[in-house]
Amino acid sequence: MTLLVGFGSTAAANPGGPEATAAGVKRTGFFVFEKNKANPSNSRLAWQEWTMVGDRPPRKTLELRWRAGSGNGSTDSCASNAGWLPNGTYGGTYMTGFDGDINGIVFQLDNKKCGRNGTERSALFIHSEMMPNGKQNSNVESERWDGPIDYFSEGCVKLKPADIKQAAKRYRAFYGGSADQRKSKLLVVTNG
C-alpha cells in the first residue's frame, strides 16, 4: 500500500542499499527532494520506504509528500548560500533541540560539490523555522513561520513546522533507536 500525502507522485529514486533486514526482507527509507524549476520555493520533499524481497525488484511501500523550498529562488546549484541543492545523494544526521542559526528539528546533510564548477556547498540542512524546543517564537523572525515566504532559504531544504514534525515522526518510527545515527543515504535530490 502506498500512501500519498500532498501533491502528485514522485519520480522513483533508486532504493540503493537496504538499511534494515529481516528473514530475507530488506527495507530502506530516505527522503527525496524534487526540484521545481518554475518555482524553487514550491518544490516537494518526499519520505519513501522501499521493501526488497529476495531477487524481486524493490517495491515502494510508503510515500509521504510535503511542499518544500530550497534556496532563495536561484536554480544555480553552485551559488553558495543562495542556490538550491546540487543533485545527488546526501548522507546526514537527524537531530532535535538543535540551537544555531537554525533551530529545532533538523537533518544535517553532508557537504556536496556542484557539477558545473565543483563549488563545495556546506552548512546544508532540512529544517524549518522554530525555537530549539520546536515551538514558535512570535518575536524572532527566524523562529516563527510566516507563510510561503519562509520556504526560501540559503540553500537548505525548508518545510513548514508541522511538516518537518511529521517527517521526523515517520523517520523516527522507521529507524527506531538508530534514528539519530548518521545515515549514508538520507536524501536524494532530483530534477523532479
Side-chain angles (χ1 to χ4, degrees):
M1 176 179 148
T2 300
L3 173 66
L4 296 175
V5 176
F7 303 87
S9 64
T10 186
N14 180 359
E19 295 288 342
T21 61
V25 176
K26 300 174 184 174
R27 296 178 61 225
T28 189
F30 52 89
F31 291 102
V32 177
F33 181 72
E34 294 177 347
K35 296 175 175 179
N36 176 0
K37 190 168 185 143
N39 184 354
S41 70
N42 194 11
S43 297
R44 297 292 176 264
L45 182 72
W47 167 255
Q48 296 182 0
E49 294 176 12
W50 294 78
T51 300
M52 288 118 344
V53 179
D55 293 338
R56 294 185 209 153
R59 183 172 58 92
K60 187 175 7 172
T61 54
L62 179 82
E63 180 175 89
L64 303 173
R65 297 172 58 79
W66 307 275
R67 178 180 175 175
S70 180
N72 64 5
S74 170
T75 59
D76 183 355
S77 64
C78 293
S80 293
N81 301 320
W84 60 13
L85 291 177
N87 287 358
T89 301
Y90 293 75
T93 305
Y94 165 72
M95 294 176 271
T96 59
F98 193 79
D99 190 358
D101 290 340
I102 59 170
N103 298 314
I105 299 167
V106 301
F107 295 87
Q108 185 171 14
L109 304 173
D110 293 341
N111 295 350
K112 181 69 112 182
K113 290 185 178 180
C114 72
R116 189 180 80 249
N117 64 20
T119 297
E120 185 170 66
R121 300 287 303 278
S122 61
L124 303 173
F125 294 84
I126 300 171
H127 70 95
S128 187
E129 292 193 0
M130 59 181 57
M131 296 188 304
N133 65 8
K135 295 181 180 179
Q136 295 287 286
N137 179 351
S138 61
N139 297 319
V140 179
E141 197 290 319
S142 65
E143 294 180 344
R144 71 170 185 261
W145 191 263
D146 295 317
I149 191 71
D150 284 331
Y151 284 106
F152 289 95
S153 72
E154 293 181 0
C156 297
V157 173
K158 275 181 82 177
L159 298 164
K160 69 182 181 180
D163 291 348
I164 198 162
K165 288 176 182 178
Q166 184 183 28
K169 182 178 180 181
R170 186 63 211 167
Y171 177 85
R172 286 190 320 266
F174 185 84
Y175 282 112
S178 70
D180 62 350
Q181 296 174 9
R182 180 175 193 77
K183 304 294 178 208
S184 61
K185 183 178 183 180
L186 177 67
L187 173 70
V188 176
V189 177
T190 71
N191 282 333

